[in-house]
Amino acid sequence: MLIPEYIDAHLLVLNKPSGLLCVPGRGEDKQDCLSARALQQWPDALVVHRLDQPTSGLVVMARSPAVQRALGDAFAARAVHKRYAAVVSGRPHAQPLPASHALYPAMPQDGESWSLVDLPLMADWERRPLQRVDEAHGKPSQTWWRAMTAGEATALPAIPPDSTRLWLEPLTGRTHQLRLHMQAIGHAMLGDGLYASAAVQAMAPRLLLQAQQLGFAHPVSGAWLDCRLAADF
């Protein structure tokens, strides 16, 4: 049974476990998914966005076509605040963005300094479902990142040596964007079966990526909803 993180007559916010599909896949063995489970409890639940199967965390679903359209428009307009927690291999070196950079005003405002990965992505057609960085043909893709402070990580479980807890905020929403951007700068996510080396994949029993914060204006009331989860790794 699903227990919503938030629910009203217009929408619900669910916590997807790692390993569960958001929507059905091809084949009888891929019919169990978050949307199917939600429909069993809320027959009006409609998909708005997705998380990768190995990613855990917050997913919003609409309860009417009008709200589904409004939420979809909010995601497309980058009016939804998304923050992910991850554990990556190595010790990424911060590269603060100069104030003159065009994207500097979009930096997350939490009193900390963030770095930006700005690498265009596209499908790697010969190795689907993988994506790849392609400077010539890829779609613009940007991800803000910073290491968690000692205060933010102090109550969380220990992580393997030579790994780092990060916050990630995607500006764009490309397939596998966070996973590939981290791998592209030399710090693949622990447990990543697509983009990490065998050694880094083996450092965790699952992909260490969680959609931990989701904020948006309620499409009916206009009130700001700020949903947050405790870390699950």
Side-chain angles (χ1 to χ4, degrees), residues 144-166:
W144 293 104
W145 68 270
R146 71 168 175 85
M148 289 190 187
T149 65
E152 291 169 332
T154 187
L156 299 178
I159 57 177
D162 196 33
S163 63
T164 305
R165 287 187 180 273
L166 298 184

Side-chain angles (χ1 to χ4, degrees), residues 16-232:
K16 186 188 84 68
S18 175
L20 182 68
L21 291 165
C22 266
V23 297
R26 295 181 180 178
E28 290 300 318
D29 61 330
K30 296 183 175 61
Q31 298 308 296
D32 181 31
C33 61
L34 186 71
S35 61
R37 294 183 186 184
L39 284 169
Q40 292 176 358
Q41 295 177 235
W42 305 281
D44 54 0
L46 297 168
V47 173
V48 174
H49 68 120
R50 307 177 188 184
L51 296 177
D52 292 344
Q53 182 176 3
T55 304
S56 62
L58 293 167
V59 176
V60 60
M61 300 189 75
R63 303 189 69 182
S64 71
V67 170
Q68 183 187 39
R69 287 192 296 271
L71 287 170
D73 290 345
F75 273 93
R78 303 182 185 177
V80 177
H81 174 247
K82 298 168 286 184
R83 181 176 288 194
Y84 293 72
V87 179
V88 302
S89 58
R91 306 287 184 184
H93 295 291
Q95 299 178 340
L97 209 63
S100 58
H101 194 285
L103 289 175
Y104 185 86
M107 181 185 297
Q109 300 299 310
D110 63 357
E112 302 292 335
S113 179
W114 291 70
S115 301
L116 181 71
V117 181
D118 187 1
L119 293 171
L121 305 178
M122 67 174 292
D124 190 339
W125 297 108
E126 295 181 357
R127 299 192 300 155
R128 294 180 69 184
L130 272 65
Q131 308 291 302
R132 63 185 174 90
V133 175
D134 191 304
E135 296 285 356
H137 304 291
K139 294 180 179 180
S141 309
Q142 295 94 20
T143 301
W144 293 104
W145 68 270
R146 71 168 175 85
M148 289 190 187
T149 65
E152 291 169 332
T154 187
L156 299 178
I159 57 177
D162 196 33
S163 63
T164 305
R165 287 187 180 273
L166 298 184
W167 289 121
L168 304 170
E169 292 202 9
L171 268 178
T172 51
R174 311 300 179 200
T175 301
H176 300 167
Q177 176 178 314
L178 302 180
R179 300 161 69 179
L180 183 49
H181 271 174
M182 292 302 100
Q183 186 270 343
I185 64 170
H187 300 283
M189 293 181 189
L190 274 57
D192 191 342
L194 291 181
Y195 299 103
S197 66
V200 172
Q201 181 182 350
M203 291 173 71
R206 52 156 288 197
L207 174 68
L208 297 191
L209 178 64
Q210 179 190 24
Q212 204 171 105
Q213 300 179 22
L214 189 66
F216 55 92
H218 192 288
V220 176
S221 70
W224 185 258
L225 295 181
D226 186 13
C227 300
R228 301 184 179 220
L229 293 173
D232 62 5

